[in-house]
Amino acid sequence: MESGYVTTPFGRRPMSLGMLASQQLAETIEPGMKRSKWKLFRAICEARPALGVTDRALTVLDALLTFYPDDEISEEKGLIVFPSNAQLSLRARGMTPATLRRHLVVLVEAGLILRKDSPNGKRYARRDRAGAIGEAFGFSVAPLLARAVEIETLAAQAVADRELLRVTRERLTLCRRDISKLIAAALEEGVSGDWEGISAMFRALLARIPRVATAEDLAPLLDEMRLLRAEVVNMLERRLKTKKIDANESQIEHHKQNSNPDSIYELEPSFETKQGEKAAADNDPNAGPSDERRLKQQKPSGGMSNRAEGAADPGAGPGLKSFPLGLVLQACPSILDYGPGGSIGNWRDLMSAAVVVRSMLGVSPSAYEEACSGMGPENAATVIACILERGGHINSPGGYLRDLTRRTERGEFAIGPMLMALVRANGLTARHAS
């Protein structure tokens, strides 16, 4: 293509700035640059949505490239093809002339080919005496060579996006299967918990999956589905730990009974040591050796149980899972106003804010201490943040917190569903506000 040469279309077809820009781009081909026309065509097919061309337009481009004499496109071998409409229609699977012209316009507007029209609008080439082409009029494929790197980059990105979508769909399918079968197993085994609520939450997530979706559409759904699966697994694991502890205690009790069958203390009724009873026994001059032995026998058992419960997770309650601070703040943004300096950067800040909010909500210190002991300080602070976020929906925050603490000790409460409900509620509020 001649440097600085501008060609305008023949007849009534108008000139546009886009055509001028494509002609200028075609003049920027690097010297010696060449590409396989069919590899470049496959890259265009991969990047078709980003390039804004239709599949029928690609059929026409495929037909045009068959008229290029070599497998590699380069400036040295010429960049003009000049088939007639009749020949082009045959190689475009019998496309009608009107449809052919329409899709040629699409290719020109997409910046993939250029028109180089002759004075009379015909497509032909002038050859010298040796048969070499001196000047040709038709369609220039120079934009393909000039945009080769861009097209290949777009194609690679399209392939990566398609692979990401495939992997995301696979992971979402596995997550759906896991949750469905785990809930079914929990119901069949009679595991205690709010399985009806979890099933409703699962169905709500399934209803939000669009029929045609991108990886960006599915990513947040996959995160919520993973969170729900982790919560279900956590509840089932707590049941397994409870069964194991019960089995171990039964074995230990059986071992004690068999190790000393003549002991008279096995026949004494067991009782729970209350605060102050040990001191009263020590100060009671009438307390006999039997009372003292019963107190000593009761104390190690309680101490062993406390250590076993605390060993599972020092920062959380027995078997209760804690969640990332970022997720807690996303679900409960109102707690941020009560952090040191009006912000929360770590768990210590959240727990400090929870103490302030606890007092504001009217939760007694004893109720909050029980929650910290039963759930762990981080989870107790998380629950306080959730109670604050729910605002007027809870009549008695203190009673509600005590009830959640008791449910936690029975293995019937999980924080995950509460956080997910608040995340969704805040998302809906933000969308309505916008």
Side-chain angles (χ1 to χ4, degrees):
M1 197 170 179
E2 299 178 22
S3 178
Y5 179 77
V6 176
T7 179
T8 55
F10 170 78
R12 296 181 180 180
R13 289 191 296 267
M15 182 67 178
S16 67
L17 293 178
M19 293 180 185
L20 183 61
S22 296
Q23 291 181 28
Q24 291 176 343
L25 178 64
E27 296 177 3
T28 62
I29 299 174
E30 297 180 4
M33 187 174 185
K34 56 180 67 177
R35 284 292 190 279
S36 167
K37 63 180 181 182
W38 298 124
K39 288 184 179 179
L40 195 54
F41 178 73
R42 283 194 293 272
I44 293 171
C45 291
E46 293 284 2
R48 180 176 66 84
L51 294 171
V53 292
T54 62
D55 52 350
R56 300 295 299 278
L58 289 181
T59 300
V60 176
L61 180 60
D62 182 23
L64 277 175
L65 290 176
T66 62
F67 290 98
Y68 192 82
D70 295 293
D71 285 337
E72 285 190 336
I73 302 175
S74 64
E75 283 190 291
E76 291 78 10
K77 298 173 183 177
L79 298 172
I80 306 293
V81 291
F82 40 89
S84 66
N85 279 353
Q87 292 174 317
L88 191 56
S89 176
L90 287 175
R91 296 198 188 182
R93 281 72 171 170
M95 190 177 291
T96 62
T99 305
L100 188 67
R101 287 192 294 270
R102 187 167 66 252
H103 291 298
L104 284 170
V105 170
V106 172
L107 292 173
V108 171
E109 290 178 348
L112 296 178
I113 62 173
L114 287 175
R115 290 183 183 274
K116 186 179 179 184
D117 289 345
S118 66
N120 62 1
K122 301 294 183 180
R123 300 176 199 137
Y124 58 87
R126 290 197 181 97
R127 301 177 184 272
D128 58 18
R129 292 182 179 180
I133 296 176
E135 187 175 15
F137 298 97
F139 296 104
S140 171
V141 295
L144 296 182
L145 202 55
R147 299 180 63 186
V149 175
E150 175 196 352
I151 291 170
E152 290 163 352
T153 302
L154 290 173
Q157 184 62 49
V159 171
D161 290 344
R162 189 171 62 247
E163 179 65 16
L164 177 61
L165 178 60
R166 184 189 65 79
V167 171
T168 304
R169 283 188 178 279
E170 283 183 356
R171 291 173 179 171
L172 190 62
T173 300
L174 291 175
C175 222
R176 290 172 58 181
R177 185 184 70 191
D178 293 345
I179 294 172
S180 177
K181 294 197 173 184
L182 288 173
I183 291 176
L187 294 173
E188 185 177 348
E189 296 288 338
V191 179
S192 59
D194 185 16
W195 297 109
E196 183 177 350
I198 290 177
S199 297
M201 194 178 303
F202 179 48
R203 289 192 296 270
L205 284 175
L206 294 180
R208 290 167 51 197
I209 299 176
R211 180 171 297 179
V212 179
T214 63
E216 290 76 13
D217 296 330
L218 297 179
L221 290 172
L222 178 59
D223 290 340
E224 291 188 45
M225 201 82 76
R226 282 173 167 170
L227 180 60
L228 183 60
R229 180 177 62 182
E231 193 58 41
V232 171
V233 171
N234 189 38
M235 294 173 70
L236 295 177
E237 286 179 347
R238 285 205 302 271
R239 174 62 180 267
L240 291 176
K241 289 178 182 177
T242 302
K243 283 188 174 182
K244 188 179 293 185
I245 290 173
D246 291 344
N248 290 339
E249 288 179 351
S250 176
Q251 291 176 2
I252 292 171
E253 185 66 24
H254 184 67
H255 175 71
K256 283 183 178 179
Q257 291 176 355
N258 291 339
S259 62
N260 190 4
D262 298 330
S263 174
I264 62 173
Y265 303 112
E266 298 296 337
L267 304 178
E268 295 179 357
S270 61
F271 64 96
E272 183 177 357
T273 304
K274 297 183 180 178
Q275 188 175 4
E277 284 187 358
K278 179 65 172 65
D282 291 340
N283 296 328
D284 187 359
N286 298 320
S290 177
D291 296 330
E292 185 176 355
R293 286 172 185 170
R294 283 186 304 196
L295 288 170
K296 289 181 179 179
Q297 193 176 22
Q298 179 71 20
K299 185 175 180 181
S301 175
M304 189 189 311
S305 175
N306 291 337
R307 283 194 299 272
E309 290 177 354
D313 186 355
L320 193 63
K321 178 182 177 181
S322 59
F323 291 87
L325 179 61
L327 177 61
V328 175
L329 298 180
Q330 181 184 356
C332 311
S334 300
I335 196 73
L336 290 168
D337 297 333
Y338 300 92
S343 64
I344 293 177
N346 50 51
W347 282 106
R348 184 181 296 277
D349 292 345
L350 179 64
M351 288 186 279
S352 299
V355 172
V356 176
V357 172
R358 186 273 307 164
S359 177
M360 184 188 72
L361 293 175
V363 177
S364 65
S366 61
Y368 187 59
E369 288 176 6
E370 289 176 7
C372 290
S373 176
M375 303 178 182
E378 292 157 346
N379 286 327
T382 300
V383 172
I384 288 291
C386 292
I387 293 174
L388 173 67
E389 197 66 31
R390 295 182 65 180
H393 297 287
I394 299 173
N395 295 326
S396 175
Y400 183 62
L401 182 62
R402 287 185 188 274
D403 179 62
L404 293 183
T405 303
R406 288 192 292 268
R407 289 171 58 190
T408 300
E409 292 170 351
R410 296 195 301 267
E412 297 175 356
F413 171 64
I415 297 178
M418 180 185 291
L419 287 175
M420 288 176 61
L422 290 173
V423 167
R424 284 197 303 275
N426 290 333
L428 287 174
T429 302
R431 285 196 290 271
H432 289 318
S434 61

